[in-house]
């Protein structure tokens, strides 16, 4: 079975006459990025490539939890009670991430970096390195006991962030999506309106290809399960991101520990939800919401998404196969 998703609003504008298809790519944030675009007459592809790489380099400099010299790492080491002025990129990500944290009652938490490190999914002491051991219950309990007091406070008017003491930010579930949005903005600022940009498998598209067709992409499936049918989406003014339990995990006794952690319990999620895909107008939203819905699980996550009009697809493990559930907003785009 093949399902096609098309956005409800379509702009019929074609690329300027004389435009040519241009492909470019690079590396950033520990992964690869790419862009396919209709290059207007007179535009320089090499200049665009350098501009895209520059946008990504700036995000790494601000928000990398791997780089000890990043603004995020500096904030994480800062003393209690210190306020930190934020550049526009960092502020936008922090503001949205904290909004999703509040909306989800803490199921999504950008300040759960200490928990991420405990479970070996951070920059150091990783689960796939020799000698790693899953944290003992006492360490998890210690994180939970300090969680409320270690929540950052955002001063919206002053565009600054309070370090309450011990807050460890981790933007890995939102910064990559934001990076894709910055790539899109970079192209649009240079009068490129027809493109699809991607970083680490998260995508955003606008306009059309040379033949007038939208940028079609296949929605990610679950590698270790039999496919339930092909779903393709027209990335025309849309972004897409998927969170899946198959990306990173390790065996803990008889249980597979997925990299998605529930900050409310302190442990990896423990349900049969294999993946969540979200379609949204921005990739930052798709990125963060796919993670939040994964933590919430197949029932609470579906209810959360329906209440907010989120276009989401849930794939739930059912024996050796999968069961698909979609929200009303997702079904509205189906053909």
């Amino acid at each position: 079975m093949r399902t096609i998703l098309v956005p409800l609003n379509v702009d019929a504008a074609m690329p300027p006459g004389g435009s040519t298809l241009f492909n470019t790519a690079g590396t950033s944030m520990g992964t690869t990025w790419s862009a396919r675009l209709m290059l207007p007459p007179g535009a320089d592809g090499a200049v665009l490539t350098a501009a895209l790489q520059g946008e990504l380099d700036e995000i790494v400099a601000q928000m990398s939890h791997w780089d000890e010299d990043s603004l995020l790492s500096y904030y994480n080491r800062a003393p209690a009670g210190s306020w930190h002025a934020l550049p526009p990129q960092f502020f936008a990500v922090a503001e949205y991430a904290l909004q999703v944290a509040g909306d989800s009652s803490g199921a999504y938490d950008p300040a759960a970096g200490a928990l991420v490190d405990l479970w070996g999914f951070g920059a150091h002491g990783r689960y796939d390195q020799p000698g790693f051991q899953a944290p003992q219950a006492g360490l998890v309990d210690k994180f939970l006991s300090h969680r409320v007091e270690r929540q950052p406070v955002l001063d919206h008017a002053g565009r600054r962030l309070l370090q309450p003491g011990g807050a460890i930010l981790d933007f890995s579930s939102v910064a990559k999506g934001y990076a894709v949005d910055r790539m899109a903005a970079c192209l649009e600022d240079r009068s490129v309106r027809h493109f699809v940009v991607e970083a680490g498998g998260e995508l955003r598209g606008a306009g059309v290809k040379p033949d007038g067709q939208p940028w079609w992409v296949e929605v990610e499936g679950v590698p270790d399960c039999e496919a339930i049918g092909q779903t393709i989406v027209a990335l025309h003014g849309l972004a897409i991101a998927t969170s899946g339990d198959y990306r990173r995990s390790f065996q803990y006794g008889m249980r597979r520990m997925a990299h998605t952690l529930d900050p409310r319990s302190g442990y990896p999620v423990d349900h049969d939800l294999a993946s969540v895909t979200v379609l949204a107008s921005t990739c930052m939203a798709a990125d963060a919401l796919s993670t939040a819905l994964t933590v919430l699980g197949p029932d609470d996550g579906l209810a959360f998404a329906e209440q907010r009009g989120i276009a989401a697809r849930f794939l739930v493990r059912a024996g050796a196969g999968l069961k698909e559930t979609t929200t009303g907003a997702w079904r509205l785009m189906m053909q």
Side-chain angles (χ1 to χ4, degrees):
M1 183 180 70
R2 188 182 193 190
T3 303
I4 298 174
L5 281 76
V6 179
L8 301 179
N9 298 312
V10 176
D11 183 354
M14 291 291 291
S19 296
T20 56
L21 182 62
F22 178 72
N23 298 320
T24 187
T27 59
S28 183
M29 301 177 291
T31 187
T32 59
W33 66 265
S34 65
R36 299 186 68 203
L37 56 99
M38 295 305 298
L39 193 67
D44 188 326
V47 171
L48 282 177
T49 298
L52 290 169
Q53 188 67 59
E55 289 283 351
L56 296 170
D57 291 346
E58 181 59 34
I59 291 168
V60 170
Q62 292 187 26
M63 297 176 234
S64 173
H65 61 286
W66 296 82
D67 184 354
E68 293 185 357
D69 294 326
S70 71
L71 178 58
L72 181 143
S73 295
Y74 177 79
Y75 171 88
N76 288 345
R77 296 190 301 266
S82 57
W83 283 94
H84 301 264
L86 303 180
Q89 299 94 325
F90 197 112
F91 178 82
V93 171
E95 182 179 46
Y96 186 72
L98 290 172
Q99 175 189 321
V100 176
D103 291 345
S104 65
S105 300
Y108 179 87
D109 187 357
L115 185 65
V116 173
D117 291 339
L118 276 179
W119 284 99
F121 296 116
H124 307 287
R126 290 183 57 80
Y127 72 96
D128 53 359
Q129 295 177 342
F132 170 77
Q133 292 184 342
Q136 297 180 351
L139 291 175
V140 175
D141 292 342
K142 184 177 179 180
F143 165 81
L144 294 174
S145 67
H146 293 292
R147 186 182 174 210
V148 173
E149 66 195 57
R150 291 178 176 173
Q151 286 297 310
V153 177
L154 189 64
D155 174 9
H156 295 264
R159 291 184 175 267
R160 57 182 188 154
L161 190 67
L162 173 67
Q163 169 58 273
I168 306 296
L169 292 177
D170 184 338
F171 286 161
S172 58
S173 62
V174 64
K176 187 165 61 176
Y178 178 74
V180 173
D181 291 334
R182 290 307 309 160
M183 292 171 69
C186 177
L187 294 177
E188 291 169 347
D189 289 345
R190 290 160 177 79
S191 300
V192 178
R193 308 292 185 205
H194 302 264
F195 59 80
V196 59
V197 289
E198 169 268 335
E202 300 183 3
L203 304 99
R204 176 170 168 170
V208 295
K209 297 187 291 184
D211 59 1
Q213 288 286 316
W215 306 96
W216 294 104
V217 300
E218 184 173 356
V219 179
E220 185 176 323
V222 179
D224 57 348
C225 287
E226 183 178 346
I228 59 173
Q230 183 188 46
T231 299
I232 60 173
V233 57
L235 281 191
H236 183 91
L238 288 174
I240 188 169
T242 297
S243 176
D245 69 355
Y246 47 85
R247 294 186 184 277
R248 295 189 302 276
S249 64
F250 64 89
Q251 201 67 27
Y252 183 58
M254 298 297 293
R255 181 181 168 194
R256 183 177 70 168
M257 298 302 225
H259 78 282
T260 303
L261 305 173
D262 187 339
R264 301 166 301 178
S265 70
Y267 287 85
V269 294
D270 187 18
H271 48 59
D272 293 327
L273 187 53
S275 77
V276 178
T277 298
V278 171
L279 287 165
S281 59
T282 70
C283 203
M284 176 169 66
D287 192 4
L289 290 172
S290 63
T291 299
L293 296 176
T294 297
V295 175
L296 287 167
D299 297 324
D300 291 345
L302 180 63
F304 180 93
E306 291 285 21
Q307 290 166 3
R308 291 161 178 79
I310 298 169
R313 181 186 75 163
F314 298 75
L315 296 182
V316 182
R317 296 183 186 276
L322 294 168
K323 176 184 176 182
E324 180 186 62
T325 305
T326 59
T327 62
W330 180 282
R331 293 191 295 275
L332 276 175
M333 293 187 287
M334 289 174 55
Q335 290 189 2

